[in-house]
Amino acid sequence: MLEIRNAVKVFAAGTPNEFKALDGLSLTLEDGEFVTIIGSNGAGKSTLFNAICGNFWLDKGHIILDGEDISYKSEHKRARRIGRIFQDPMKGTAPNLTIEENLALAYSRSKRGGLAPAITKSERVMFRDALAGFNMGLEDRMHTKVGLLSGGQRQVVTLLMATIVPPSLLLLDEHTAALDPATAEKVMDITKKIVADNNLTTLMITHNVKSALETGDRTIMMDAGNIIFDIHAKEREGMTVEDLMKRYSSKKHEEFDNDRAIFN
């Protein structure tokens, strides 16, 4: 379970460039819930992920994961419980190491808290079986360096690295945006399978509104550092991209009217 309470983050505070990236944001995810996040550039989506991962501390508010307040825990300690996949397929992997070595590194770091001296036979079988389930032929390329793989193949390896020991929380940061449409669809299908098979609590940022409405259990839209609406499963059924954009336009118009009333 993830709970974010009244999260506030201000950059360049007290200067002419002061910018409130998170503005009292609150959000709760139940165990196994898969929530998609949409919003324009600058809405605070990546800032939210960075705050959860501990790239910086909040100015106000709390982040609670599985009942523990992690608001002031270091980034490396949070990384043991939080998996994150980035848009760049090269992030999160060691390109000069093989698929097998990358998986062993992720498994060793997450499972045992230190690096193992060698890859065991049972680990090799586990890695191979996991890759075979994705139907991409990667199980036959275990000794290929990750840097030689295609973007989609690297992203699948990164997904497995982040989830081979199931994390308490999985963060998907536009992880299919750099892929061609066919590969993005394949990686998205694999993502859904991994999340469902492991019942992972998941947040996914995407600019693909159609995908956001079709993926997971809920869709939230962020704007100006906060959540402007949160659409649950039943409400999302039958909702189109046009419906969502109308709701967004209506919400922004209401805010404009309220601001105008205040200034008048």
Side-chain angles (χ1 to χ4, degrees):
M1 179 177 177
L2 173 70
E3 186 177 1
I4 300 171
R5 301 176 184 170
N6 193 34
V8 175
K9 182 61 186 178
V10 180
F11 293 106
T15 75
N17 296 320
E18 180 173 306
F19 174 66
K20 185 173 284 189
L22 295 176
D23 189 10
L25 183 147
S26 294
L27 174 68
T28 298
L29 270 70
E30 300 297 333
D31 289 340
E33 197 167 19
F34 190 166
V35 176
T36 58
I37 305 175
I38 55 176
S40 60
N41 291 332
K45 305 182 300 298
S46 291
T47 302
L48 173 62
F49 274 23
N50 290 336
I52 293 171
C53 289
N55 297 143
F56 49 72
W57 289 351
L58 294 173
D59 296 314
K60 293 181 182 178
H62 295 273
I63 300 170
I64 299 165
L65 185 61
D66 291 342
E68 179 186 1
D69 193 331
I70 64 170
S71 305
Y72 300 104
K73 279 192 172 292
S74 64
E75 184 176 359
H76 78 273
K77 288 184 177 178
R78 298 191 204 192
R80 296 174 185 170
R81 300 171 59 190
I82 300 172
R84 185 174 183 178
I85 314 296
F86 294 88
Q87 179 176 334
D88 183 354
M90 289 305 291
K91 283 190 175 181
T93 60
N96 291 322
L97 296 182
T98 67
I99 293 176
E100 182 180 84
E101 289 167 339
N102 270 276
L103 292 173
L105 185 65
Y107 184 72
S108 179
R109 182 176 62 242
S110 301
K111 190 69 174 178
R112 292 186 283 264
L115 300 181
I119 304 170
T120 67
K121 182 178 180 180
S122 62
E123 287 172 350
R124 284 193 173 95
V125 172
M126 177 179 62
F127 300 157
R128 185 178 178 86
D129 288 348
L131 288 169
F134 303 145
N135 298 313
M136 295 185 72
L138 290 171
E139 68 276 11
D140 297 321
R141 302 186 64 184
M142 297 290 288
H143 299 293
T144 300
K145 290 184 178 181
V146 169
L148 299 177
L149 301 177
S150 69
Q153 291 169 332
R154 288 197 297 267
Q155 210 63 313
V156 169
V157 172
T158 307
L159 271 167
L160 184 55
M161 288 175 66
T163 58
I164 196 162
V165 176
S168 297
L169 177 67
L170 179 63
L171 303 178
L172 305 171
D173 196 348
E174 296 189 74
H175 72 303
T176 63
L179 307 176
D180 65 81
T183 304
E185 184 176 357
K186 175 69 173 176
V187 171
M188 195 67 246
D189 288 342
I190 291 171
T191 301
K192 292 175 183 177
K193 174 177 170 55
I194 289 174
V195 170
D197 288 351
N198 294 282
N199 193 37
L200 296 177
T201 307
T202 305
L203 277 171
M204 183 181 83
I205 295 173
T206 179
H207 276 106
N208 187 324
V209 179
K210 185 173 184 294
S211 178
L213 291 173
E214 295 174 348
T215 304
D217 310 297
R218 292 160 57 192
T219 297
I220 65 175
M221 176 172 274
M222 290 185 62
D223 185 70
N226 217 325
I227 296 170
I228 59 173
F229 52 77
D230 185 343
I231 308 169
H232 290 253
K234 288 186 178 180
E235 190 180 2
R236 284 198 327 179
E237 291 179 8
M239 179 174 280
T240 65
V241 174
E242 290 74 19
D243 294 334
L244 193 63
M245 291 300 98
K246 285 179 181 178
R247 176 174 293 199
Y248 172 71
S249 298
S250 175
K251 178 70 175 177
K252 294 302 292 181
H253 182 68
E254 288 175 11
E255 291 179 356
F256 173 76
D257 282 348
N258 289 338
D259 289 344
R260 184 171 56 186
I262 291 171
F263 287 120
N264 285 342

